[in-house]
Amino acid sequence: MDHAQTRPHVQDLWTSSILPALRDYIRIPNQSPFFDPAWEAHGHMERAVTLARDWAAARNLKGAQIDILRLPGRTPVLLIEVAGTRPGNVMLYGHLDKQPPFEGWREGLGPWTPVDRDGRLYGRGAADDGYAVFASVAAIEALQRQNVPHPRLCVLIECSEESGSPDLPSHIEAHAARIGVPDLVICLDSGCGDYNRMWTTTSLRGLVVGDLRVDVLHEGVHSGDASGIVPSSFRILRQLLARLEDAATGRILPDALHVAVPPGRVAEAERSAAVLGPDTFARFPWVPGMQAVATDTKELMLNRTWRPALAITAQQGMPNLESGGNVLRPFTTLRLSLRIPPTLDAETATRTAKHLLESDPPYGAKITFKADKASPGWEAPPTAPWLAEASEAASRSYFGNPPCAMGEGGSIPFMAMLGARFPKTQFLITGVLGPESNAHGPNEFLHVATGVNLSCCVAEVIARLPG
Ligand SMILES: [Zn+2]
């Protein structure tokens, strides 16, 4: 490809067409079905997928067939199939469903209000992961504009990723013949360590989510009457959590929830830690005086990517501060979000957690751990030499720096599905979720220059697919 042509074309497309479309997209509150069970009746997902479909259709890609795939009761999938002008098959993946708004958006910002500020487009879901369909089409358009022969391209955009992709397997089954066997999967839903290079993701953690409930009474009673006699459900929860996690260090205790980190990944963490420097995690919105669990950046990188870790993400059974009286409450439920190592079997990890939490109930309390379907993690297969060279060339051309590889702490369930289904497939997993971009939290933004650069890099890598 001719870099001198690619960049201005892609840049212009972003400015004149992609950013306006993304601003419209941000205005649509199309939360993932887990967060909006009535998504179908609300119609937001339909508006979002139609917006993307209409935009893509208006680009008039040569040899493109664009369909919204539908199955009863399931979220749709947008499929953009572009006939190849040479051999090869590439899948480009992204998603259009969004996380819920969360609290804490700064003055003037909001989840459903697009705001352009300092080269960033603020609002829910543009970076995670609405931009993916637009960036993919921009890359294809750049290839076609320059008449660069390209393989068959299949852009697959789902609408249930933030719920663990429950609707995707059925679509994949129904359209397996159309999708075929990809030589390369490009996923634009991941993170980046900084905005100065293309970051490739070499692993993703798995995720076990479940609600841990402790019942001690049929109804709440006067805490002055009962405390000292009836064990508090919260204290029992603390005991149960202590089986799972060392409260002093955050280390997850059962050996069965750890794996031996492959030496190559340790070396990779060391390299990325060196690129990012000691202040890399200063990007979190720490309160004054607050420190990380360790000082060694490499160890923090490994904690974040290859070691299990627990977050408590929701509760039930506890009134808000305004309405809480002196009551010994009948039950407490905590939602446990346990990240697990990339190569640990997620179903086994769920069973391990359930057994650990439910066995030997303190005081005979009623304890239930109700787990959702676990999301498996993923580790990249060894990178083919051509892909390493293509990534190197792309990142140097458009970011002016060599690329860097690292694991990510989050999960993309579909990558595990694809990895199991297509063991010979190569993966380029990358994304715009860099410092402060805050997907899932407040003040999410899309770093626009990175979106432009990545679109160019995608075109460059596709151009270099052998065959
Ligand atoms: Zn995402």
Side-chain angles (χ1 to χ4, degrees):
M1 291 196 83
D2 178 2
H3 308 147
Q5 286 186 51
T6 308
R7 179 188 293 285
H9 167 240
V10 170
Q11 175 71 63
D12 180 60
L13 184 58
W14 267 80
T15 307
S16 63
S17 185
I18 293 178
L19 287 172
L22 281 173
R23 290 183 197 111
D24 289 341
Y25 175 72
I26 286 170
R27 292 188 185 96
I28 306 174
N30 56 315
Q31 294 180 61
S32 199
F34 182 81
F35 308 104
D36 182 9
W39 63 269
E40 200 161 11
H42 289 153
H44 303 310
M45 203 67 81
E46 186 62 31
R47 284 164 60 209
V49 78
T50 304
L51 178 152
R53 193 266 317 271
D54 291 350
W55 183 87
R59 298 317 303 168
N60 291 315
L61 295 175
K62 277 173 262 170
Q65 187 188 336
I66 305 180
D67 295 301
I68 297 176
L69 310 180
R70 297 178 192 282
L71 288 168
R74 298 205 177 271
T75 50
V77 164
L78 174 63
L79 188 67
I80 304 172
E81 228 181 316
V82 184
T85 55
R86 67 175 176 88
N89 184 12
V90 176
M91 177 193 286
L92 298 101
Y93 166 84
H95 68 88
L96 282 175
D97 55 313
K98 299 178 185 177
Q99 281 279 321
F102 209 73
E103 300 142 27
W105 292 75
R106 287 197 296 273
E107 185 70 31
L109 303 178
W112 321 124
T113 311
V115 174
D116 291 88
R117 197 179 279 178
D118 305 325
R120 301 164 167 193
L121 174 59
Y122 284 88
R124 175 62 86 230
D128 181 15
D129 179 44
Y131 88 102
V133 58
F134 302 95
S136 300
V137 169
I140 299 168
E141 189 172 303
L143 287 160
Q144 293 194 340
R145 277 275 194 104
Q146 295 178 41
N147 292 313
V148 175
H150 61 77
R152 176 178 181 279
L153 301 158
C154 183
V155 184
L156 190 142
I157 306 293
E158 66 153 316
C159 296
S160 67
E161 196 274 346
E162 301 291 1
S163 305
S165 296
D167 296 341
L168 190 54
S170 316
H171 286 290
I172 299 283
E173 284 309 322
H175 298 275
R178 274 181 85 177
I179 290 161
V181 178
D183 301 301
L184 171 69
V185 169
I186 297 175
C187 167
L188 296 175
D189 186 30
S190 195
C192 51
D194 60 25
Y195 299 112
N196 302 325
R197 70 204 80 235
M198 182 166 78
W199 286 83
T200 58
T201 301
T202 52
S203 65
L204 297 158
R205 282 194 292 187
L207 179 60
V208 170
V209 178
D211 295 341
L212 178 61
R213 174 170 172 144
V214 175
D215 283 85
V216 296
L217 296 167
H218 291 303
E219 59 187 19
V221 294
H222 193 306
S223 62
D225 185 26
S227 63
I229 299 167
V230 179
S232 125
S233 58
F234 191 83
R235 183 164 66 81
I236 293 174
L237 270 170
R238 287 169 54 201
Q239 284 181 268
L240 299 177
L241 292 178
R243 299 174 178 178
L244 186 61
E245 181 194 47
D246 180 337
T249 63
R251 184 183 153 80
I252 297 299
L253 294 168
D255 285 340
L257 295 173
H258 290 259
V259 300
V261 185
R265 300 304 179 198
V266 176
E268 198 176 85
E270 199 148 17
R271 277 196 299 275
S272 50
V275 166
L276 291 173
D279 295 332
T280 179
F281 296 116
R283 62 187 168 84
F284 289 113
W286 304 93
V287 298
M290 181 74 192
Q291 293 159 1
V293 302
T295 49
D296 180 342
T297 306
K298 183 190 86 177
E299 286 306 306
L300 292 173
M301 303 281 286
L302 289 171
N303 276 357
R304 177 177 176 272
T305 54
W306 278 89
R307 294 183 185 133
L310 179 67
I312 306 296
T313 56
Q315 64 82 25
Q316 202 162 40
M318 240 186 263
N320 289 332
L321 295 174
E322 301 78 50
S323 51
N326 291 313
V327 175
L328 197 144
R329 295 173 298 97
F331 77 95
T332 309
T333 306
L334 297 181
R335 178 162 298 155
L336 277 51
S337 168
L338 179 68
R339 300 285 172 179
I340 58 170
T343 50
L344 190 70
D345 181 70
E347 302 296 333
T348 310
T350 303
R351 281 195 296 276
T352 301
K354 188 174 172 67
H355 179 75
L356 184 80
L357 297 165
E358 288 185 347
S359 56
D360 302 325
Y363 305 103
K366 184 180 171 208
I367 294 167
T368 49
F369 181 65
K370 192 165 158 282
D372 285 331
K373 200 179 169 314
S375 296
W378 172 85
E379 186 190 11
T383 305
W386 79 263
L387 181 56
E389 283 161 27
S391 301
E392 181 81 23
S395 185
R396 282 184 186 277
S397 297
Y398 297 105
F399 285 92
N401 286 308
C404 196
M406 66 172 183
E408 274 295 338
S411 309
I412 309 175
F414 188 44
M415 293 306 112
M417 282 182 227
L418 287 174
R421 197 181 174 108
F422 304 121
K424 294 207 174 91
T425 296
Q426 287 285 297
F427 287 81
L428 176 71
I429 302 192
T430 183
V432 295
L433 302 177
E436 296 172 13
S437 61
N438 220 20
H440 298 205
N443 312 311
E444 176 183 345
F445 67 77
L446 169 69
H447 193 269
V448 175
T450 300
V452 172
N453 290 342
L454 268 190
S455 306
C456 298
C457 287
V458 166
E460 183 72 39
V461 170
I462 292 172
R464 288 168 178 258
L465 179 85

